[in-house]
Amino acid sequence: MTITVVGAGYVGLVTAAVFSELGNKVYCVDVVPEKIEGLKKGIVPFFEPSLSEFITRNIKAKRLFFTTSYKESVPKSQIVFICVGTPPKESGEADLTYLFAAVEETAKNFNHGYTLITIKSTIPIGFEDQLEATVKKHASSKFEFASCPEFLREGTAIEDTMHPDRIVIGSTSQKAQKILLELHASISGERIITDIRSAQLIKYAANSILATKVSFANAIAVLCERMGADVEKVLAGVGADRRVGRSFLYPGIGYGGSCLPKDVLAFIAIGRHFDYDFQLLQAVDSINNDQIENFINKVKSAVGGKEGNLKGVKLAMLGLAFKPNTDDMRDAPSIKIANHLTDLEATVVAYDPQAMDNAKRVIKNIKFAKDAYSAITGADAMLIITEWPQFREMDLKKAKKLLKKPIIVDGRNIFNPKTVKEEGFTYLGMGR
Ligand code: NAD
Ligand code: UGA
């Protein structure tokens, strides 16, 4: 099939890379010319394992093309995937400016029998009529809309797209269903075929249950600290029940990233629109925000003396990205933590294996080190912010010598408390 993918971001590039790998001819359109110029040479604008290899291979095979021109791609395509961003507005609602602009440009460029516009972006429920009207303003040829929400995780995006748990197809049109089923034929995973609204609801509900599990784990962690229990064992015991499962029950400094925080807030706003007060998700969001404060309080108690005073204290932040294996800093908890610590007049030195360039754009007033050991040199404490594997494998004897004080505040519970205490560290984890 010939496909256009609109938006060369995380979702768009991975979608384009995977469908071209599976033998389709794919055009990827973006409005940022520098991005497209780089991509034509195989330069991916962010860090995502294996993506660059997939893109380079398929450019060479002449199955994958990058362009800023809808005109070059849309008229040849049977399917147009819309993968533009839907960032949060101040109210929490999704900003649909990019979505409508992309749909409008697509519509202006139809000139053949039938086009299936498939929305992969996460968009609120109830915009079908407006989207149809936008297309009809510009196009007279046949078209249909479908929703095919995306469930990839950054850091494992290619693997998740090649081997997903499920493929959701939101369309009641048999023709649209047939085209999308055929396109996904060689991809594994359960097929869930439904109407557009249910498909969109699945996406928000899926991210919200993940966020709910994380906030539940964080709430249990707080209780464990107050009760003198060990959250690792408690949640291992809870998650061993197959009805619950162990995944997404790891406490820490709260969920971040470009999707969980924004989609929880957007889902609360969608609920309001349909006259539903989503109290559960309000609590999920509020518990998530509290984790930053909980972490800062641990740092204060560990190094700030009786008063919890951090003025002049030197702190090493290890990890900045919202999770390992990505350089994405969107809504990373590290931003709030760094700002909070510098507001308290601490000196902060940070290191992340991939996210330093992006972090420098969004975190000011801190220093950046060239590696983890340089970051901790002379520091009053080492703070674990992102659970990169290289931090787990650090030489603790060396770390102890480099630190001014042997203190670890572990926001991701990467260390075994017993082991680090035996090495002579003061250790504070989350919930144990
Ligand atoms: P992104 O910001 O990385 O990429 C969006 C791209 O769209 C950018 O390159 C931007 O230049 C381009 N764009 C904007 N307007 C355009 C237009 N009119 N025409 C062509 N290109 C245009 O966004 P993302 O992280 O890929 O997310 C895209 C959507 O997918 C969002 O709705 C998000 O919630 C959802 N989603 C994201 C992920 C993820 O892991 N990042 C996973 C699942 C779903
Ligand atoms: C998430 C979902 O997992 C994807 O299925 C979805 O497609 C995507 O959002 C999206 O809609 O964009 P992602 O944002 O890449 O993917 O990251 P996750 O792996 O879900 O992690 C999100 C945050 O939760 C991270 O900050 C992570 O550190 C935190 N987390 C996760 C915890 O604190 N504890 C856990 O047990 C799990």
Side-chain angles (χ1 to χ4, degrees):
M1 279 187 210
T2 302
I3 299 165
T4 290
V5 172
V6 179
Y10 286 85
V11 172
L13 283 181
V14 173
T15 302
V18 167
F19 283 130
S20 58
E21 178 80 6
L22 297 177
N24 301 285
K25 188 168 185 181
V26 182
Y27 291 88
C28 186
V29 188
D30 202 284
V31 283
V32 181
E34 311 84 72
K35 201 179 267 190
I36 291 298
E37 282 318 305
L39 283 163
K40 282 180 181 169
K41 296 180 207 132
I43 303 166
V44 176
F46 49 82
F47 174 76
E48 180 61 44
S50 315
L51 182 56
S52 166
E53 291 90 306
F54 267 62
I55 287 184
T56 312
R57 186 162 61 239
N58 285 290
I59 292 176
K60 278 201 187 122
K62 298 206 182 323
R63 287 191 296 258
L64 179 56
F65 304 88
F66 290 97
T67 178
T68 52
S69 161
Y70 283 74
K71 201 171 180 176
E72 187 188 327
S73 55
V74 172
K76 299 176 191 132
S77 304
Q78 193 176 10
I79 311 176
V80 177
F81 279 106
I82 306 289
C83 304
V84 297
T86 48
K89 295 200 264 190
E90 222 154 80
S91 60
E93 289 166 295
D95 180 351
L96 301 182
T97 315
Y98 306 112
L99 173 86
F100 277 100
V103 168
E104 190 153 18
E105 279 310 306
T106 301
K108 282 183 192 164
N109 289 284
F110 293 167
N111 67 357
H112 64 104
Y114 170 88
T115 309
L116 179 58
I117 309 174
T118 306
I119 312 271
K120 261 197 177 287
S121 301
T122 304
I123 70 158
I125 294 88
F127 283 87
E128 305 88 280
D129 292 349
Q130 280 186 51
L131 287 168
E132 294 240 345
T134 304
V135 176
K136 282 182 179 154
K137 242 187 347 194
H138 300 282
S140 52
S141 56
K142 282 199 186 129
F143 72 92
E144 281 182 301
F145 270 103
S147 165
C148 210
E150 179 56 64
F151 300 98
L152 66 79
R153 292 161 300 172
E154 292 178 18
T156 51
I158 291 277
E159 173 64 20
D160 289 347
T161 308
M162 299 286 275
H163 307 286
D165 290 337
R166 76 301 217 182
I167 290 164
V168 174
I169 294 176
S171 169
T172 46
S173 148
Q174 295 217 334
K175 182 170 183 169
Q177 288 173 8
K178 187 168 174 283
I179 293 172
L180 288 170
L181 283 170
E182 204 179 308
L183 179 69
H184 289 90
S186 54
I187 299 180
S188 55
E190 189 179 335
R191 269 57 176 158
I192 295 168
I193 300 173
T194 181
D195 57 280
I196 286 198
R197 287 193 169 200
S198 303
Q200 290 166 340
L201 202 51
I202 288 171
K203 177 63 198 174
Y204 279 105
N207 272 358
S208 297
I209 186 74
L210 294 175
T212 302
K213 284 187 89 175
V214 176
S215 280
F216 182 79
N218 283 327
I220 299 295
V222 171
L223 279 177
C224 283
E225 282 171 16
R226 296 191 187 172
M227 295 170 175
D230 178 354
V231 75
E232 290 290 306
K233 296 286 180 214
V234 172
L235 290 173
V238 173
D241 184 329
R242 272 174 295 170
R243 293 170 302 175
V244 179
R246 187 67 181 95
S247 67
F248 275 75
L249 280 184
Y250 293 89
I253 50 178
Y255 57 78
S258 69
C259 289
L260 259 47
K262 99 166 157 59
D263 290 348
V264 165
L265 293 181
F267 207 15
I268 294 171
I270 294 166
R272 251 193 324 267
H273 191 75
F274 288 91
D275 214 12
Y276 180 69
D277 181 11
F278 218 142
Q279 294 178 49
L280 174 66
L281 289 187
Q282 284 159 15
V284 166
D285 176 55
S286 141
I287 290 170
N288 197 52
N289 293 330
D290 287 350
Q291 282 311 93
I292 302 282
E293 195 68 40
N294 289 343
F295 182 76
I296 299 286
N297 285 338
K298 282 178 198 292
V299 178
K300 282 184 182 171
S301 75
V303 286
K306 271 197 190 121
E307 310 287 306
N309 184 1
L310 295 185
K311 188 171 179 177
V313 163
K314 184 176 169 190
L315 300 167
M317 283 177 62
L318 297 191
L320 293 164
F322 80 98
K323 67 173 194 178
N325 289 318
T326 180
D327 60 0
D328 200 343
M329 285 295 296
R330 290 180 287 182
D331 244 323
S334 63
I335 303 173
K336 284 187 186 150
I337 290 173
N339 289 339
H340 211 119
L341 294 174
T342 52
D343 283 350
L344 296 169
E345 298 183 63
T347 300
V348 176
V349 184
Y351 169 72
D352 187 283
Q354 289 292 340
M356 301 278 268
D357 290 344
N358 288 339
K360 284 176 188 168
R361 283 184 213 116
V362 290
I363 310 178
K364 305 292 170 193
N365 305 326
I366 69 166
K367 294 182 186 137
F368 294 90
K370 67 175 181 2
D371 58 34
Y373 293 109
S374 312
I376 64 171
T377 302
D380 291 276
M382 161 167 138
L383 317 181
I384 304 297
I385 306 296
T386 315
E387 66 277 33
W388 283 96
Q390 44 271 67
F391 301 152
R392 287 182 204 275
E393 287 150 20
M394 276 177 82
D395 178 344
L396 288 176
K397 288 195 171 44
K398 183 173 168 184
K400 192 170 168 231
K401 280 192 196 132
L402 294 174
L403 281 158
K404 191 156 104 197
K405 293 183 191 154
I407 299 175
I408 299 175
V409 187
D410 185 354
R412 299 291 189 169
N413 286 352
I414 65 171
F415 292 117
N416 179 330
K418 192 166 169 274
T419 316
V420 285
K421 280 180 189 160
E422 278 167 8
E423 290 287 350
F425 285 91
T426 299
Y427 177 83
L428 281 86
M430 307 301 285
R432 54 193 188 146

